[in-house]
Amino acid sequence: VEPLIQKGHENLVHHILLYQCSSNLNDSVLDYGHECYHPNMPDSFLTCETVIFAWAIGGEGFTYPPHVGLSIGTAADPLFVLMEVHYDNPSYTEGLIDNSGLRLIYTPVLRKYDAGVIEAGLWVSLFHNIPPGMPEFVSEGHCTLECLEEALGAERPAGIQVFAVLLHAHLAGRAIRMRHFHNGEEQKLLAYDDEFDFNFQEFQYLKEERTILPGDNLITECHYSTVDRIRMTWGGLSTRNEMCLSYLLYYPRINLTRCASIPDIMEQLQFIGVKEIYRPVRTWPFIIKSPKQYKNLSFMDAMNKFKWSRSEGLSYNQLVLKLPVNVRCSKTDNAEWSIQGMTALPPEIERPYKTEPVICSSSSCLSCSLFLTLLFIVQITASTIGNTGPFV
């Protein structure tokens, strides 16, 4: 799969998602583009929720391993696909016309396994929020053991093999880690990017394929910095909103497209002193009834009104990480596993994750020493240059 980004639009095209649509899509809506999630978008487009490929800014082309491929042409494969392009146009430049897209290169030689994509992490929602002025804030999205137990237990008890992962956040993102638990014990990180760069996002090929089994847990752990922001950061589609997602490429394909979670919102509101909201909920965002200082405010306005300090933000972070989560466990064609919507408790885990120390073996000590010597020489040289004048 190769990105075709129109020349000059490299900073404009933020990411491209390719979705599989329902097989009974009304084909009268084809051949026309629409603004995403806008009233002019046909309702039938909402049936296109199964991600089959994702590309993000800075990424290059992606080649599937020799034994795995994206299947086309069978009854189980997409009859219709929707390509969704997200643009980043902070200066609101008008009159731009874009012709970017994806090129799919196929082979008539069948691969041994059909690939699938699982979207894991935090369901994109206002329930995911980050206080302002925080040098470090951690959010977690859970692909829970309950979802994996049901979906894998029904379709693939022997497990699936993950071979590549795309980690995704927005401008406040600083690091993302995909944590894997088996029988309650943490395994090596499935994927990680401890120097996350919004302008460089692409699939990481795993050095060794990882087996995911029924009853495993996957946690997408995102680290953010909002030191330069004075208002809450909300989960959402905009570049100035945030996401915390992992896209897992795996085989053999099963009927699981989304394995995510949302933290409970009421306990988040109780943290800032909200006592009651108007029920039944008829507006979104919903409106607060009491106490007086928040009366008739939306929950977004109330969260922004609260006087956040770093200590309050830290306490809030500790609370959010322990909250019950609403499980999202989706099939293709807008169907859901029975576990969808249930509430689960996040597992007790060690925070922060302690990476394994890098140890030089006897065979590699020479190269380690050589690296340290070179590093020392570079440091001395740089210092000398710094004392003799400007360096271009």
Side-chain angles (χ1 to χ4, degrees):
V1 183
E2 178 186 357
L4 300 175
I5 308 304
Q6 184 170 322
K7 190 173 180 180
H9 286 190
E10 291 81 5
N11 291 329
L12 180 69
V13 183
H14 177 252
H15 64 272
I16 302 175
L17 292 166
L18 199 62
Y19 294 93
Q20 176 175 339
C21 299
S22 171
S23 55
N24 58 10
L25 181 81
N26 182 351
D27 60 10
S28 66
V29 301
L30 301 182
D31 301 326
Y32 296 97
H34 299 272
E35 186 175 347
C36 302
Y37 314 112
H38 187 269
N40 81 346
M41 189 179 85
D43 289 343
S44 57
F45 279 23
L46 296 173
T47 70
C48 309
E49 288 198 341
T50 299
V51 175
I52 56 176
F53 192 76
W55 171 88
I57 189 169
E60 309 242 341
F62 181 84
T63 302
Y64 286 81
H67 57 298
V68 188
L70 180 64
S71 176
I72 57 173
T74 76
D77 298 331
L79 185 59
F80 302 103
V81 297
L82 180 143
M83 187 179 75
E84 181 178 292
V85 185
H86 290 230
Y87 296 100
D88 185 22
N89 184 19
S91 61
Y92 294 94
T93 304
E94 296 184 359
L96 295 171
I97 299 174
D98 182 61
N99 196 34
S100 301
L102 298 172
R103 173 182 286 141
L104 276 66
I105 300 162
Y106 70 94
T107 171
V109 180
L110 289 179
R111 300 285 172 93
K112 184 175 181 180
Y113 298 106
D114 292 344
V117 180
I118 296 174
E119 182 184 285
L122 265 166
W123 182 268
V124 180
S125 163
L126 298 175
F127 291 10
H128 173 211
N129 49 74
I130 306 163
M134 296 299 295
E136 167 86 352
F137 191 91
V138 180
S139 298
E140 291 176 352
H142 296 269
C143 178
T144 64
L145 64 87
E146 292 87 356
C147 179
L148 290 174
E149 184 76 56
E150 182 178 13
L152 288 174
E155 300 234 332
R156 184 70 181 176
I160 55 174
Q161 301 296 124
V162 176
F163 60 89
V165 178
L166 172 68
L167 303 170
H168 180 65
H170 288 178
L171 289 173
R174 295 295 178 269
I176 310 177
R177 295 171 172 183
M178 185 63 166
R179 303 175 70 173
H180 176 207
F181 298 80
H182 177 64
N183 290 336
E185 292 188 6
E186 182 151 18
Q187 312 299 299
K188 288 184 180 179
L189 289 174
L190 190 62
Y192 67 94
D193 186 348
D194 284 344
E195 300 293 337
F196 177 78
D197 184 343
F198 172 77
N199 291 310
F200 183 74
Q201 305 184 46
E202 66 178 347
F203 275 102
Q204 299 179 20
Y205 296 92
L206 302 192
K207 290 181 180 178
E208 296 180 355
E209 294 179 354
R210 184 73 64 87
T211 304
I212 308 298
L213 293 164
D216 283 6
N217 279 74
L218 299 173
I219 300 176
T220 306
E221 177 187 282
C222 296
H223 296 247
Y224 302 100
S225 172
T226 59
V227 289
D228 57 346
R229 302 188 181 192
I230 60 173
R231 294 173 69 81
M232 294 290 293
T233 297
W234 302 95
L237 298 173
S238 166
T239 303
R240 276 84 198 156
N241 296 146
E242 267 309 328
M243 292 186 179
C244 181
L245 294 171
S246 301
Y247 292 93
L248 282 65
L249 284 179
Y250 72 93
Y251 69 88
R253 181 176 60 186
I254 62 172
N255 198 5
L256 177 64
T257 63
R258 186 173 290 111
C259 185
S261 70
I262 314 174
D264 178 79
I265 187 63
M266 293 313 298
E267 289 196 48
Q268 295 180 50
L269 289 172
Q270 287 168 11
F271 180 87
I272 65 167
V274 170
K275 292 189 168 91
E276 190 178 6
I277 66 171
Y278 284 103
R279 297 183 185 276
V281 174
R282 291 194 173 94
T283 61
W284 181 255
F286 51 76
I287 305 300
I288 294 167
K289 188 173 182 180
S290 68
K292 187 176 180 180
Q293 73 261 33
Y294 298 134
K295 186 175 176 64
N296 294 327
L297 292 182
S298 73
F299 81 82
M300 295 177 71
D301 290 336
M303 293 286 267
N304 275 317
K305 186 176 180 180
F306 184 74
K307 296 190 182 305
W308 291 100
S309 64
R310 289 191 180 179
S311 61
E312 292 279 15
L314 181 60
S315 297
Y316 180 67
N317 200 176
Q318 292 170 343
L319 167 75
V320 169
L321 291 174
K322 296 176 181 176
L323 290 180
V325 297
N326 183 279
V327 175
R328 320 302 291 178
C329 194
S330 308
K331 301 180 181 181
T332 56
D333 269 3
N334 265 13
E336 298 168 345
W337 289 97
S338 67
I339 216 76
Q340 171 88 2
M342 74 160 282
T343 299
L345 287 172
E348 291 290 332
I349 62 171
E350 183 180 31
R351 297 189 181 94
Y353 174 80
K354 292 184 180 178
T355 54
E356 296 183 1
V358 177
I359 300 173
C360 289
S361 64
S362 57
S363 61
S364 62
C365 274
L366 179 61
S367 61
C368 287
S369 301
L370 179 60
F371 171 75
L372 291 172
T373 304
L374 288 171
L375 186 62
F376 178 71
I377 292 170
V378 169
Q379 179 62 43
I380 293 295
T381 306
S383 300
T384 307
I385 292 171
N387 292 330
T388 57
F391 170 66
V392 179

